[in-house]
Amino acid sequence: LHGIYIPHTIEAAIGIASFLHQHVFDRGGNPYIRYPMWVANQIALTNGNQNEIIVGWLHDTVEDTALTLKELSEWFNPEIVIF
């Protein structure tokens, strides 16, 4: 993933979440990425800041993919990893 996205941005979070969930589907057969997209959208609609929106996109990546907290902390602010 290094070199593909500019760290610390919502665009980077979208790209990373989309890439890591590209072959993951929910129980209904829908692309799983719809769920993090919905979460991030709800945060944005309630005036969430950039870090909160990034957390919305990435909140399942560490538990559902091979991405580690260490890798995540290399890309984003420490407060994102703490969320």
Side-chain angles (χ1 to χ4, degrees), residues 4 13 19 26-27 38-39 42 46 51 67 71-72 75 82:
I4 298 174
F19 177 77
D26 66 17
R27 292 181 188 149
W38 179 83
V39 171
Q42 295 304 305
T46 58
N51 285 344
L67 187 71
E71 291 169 321
L72 198 58
W75 276 80
I82 293 169

Side-chain angles (χ1 to χ4, degrees), residues 7-69:
H8 311 294
T9 65
I10 293 172
E11 291 81 9
I14 293 168
I16 291 168
S18 296
F19 177 77
L20 292 173
H21 288 107
Q22 65 184 324
H23 300 294
V24 180
F25 299 90
D26 66 17
R27 292 181 188 149
N30 298 306
Y32 184 79
I33 195 63
R34 287 182 173 183
Y35 176 64
M37 182 187 318
W38 179 83
V39 171
N41 187 53
Q42 295 304 305
I43 293 168
L45 288 173
T46 58
N47 298 317
N49 65 37
Q50 176 173 302
N51 285 344
E52 292 166 338
I53 294 168
I54 289 170
V55 169
W57 277 103
L58 297 175
H59 76 277
D60 280 339
T61 55
V62 173
E63 61 191 55
D64 293 344
T65 73
L67 187 71
T68 67
L69 287 174

Side-chain angles (χ1 to χ4, degrees), residues 55 69-74 76-83:
V55 169
L69 287 174
K70 182 180 183 302
E71 291 169 321
L72 198 58
S73 67
E74 292 172 3
F76 297 98
N77 296 329
E79 71 181 61
I80 289 173
V81 177
I82 293 169
F83 270 108

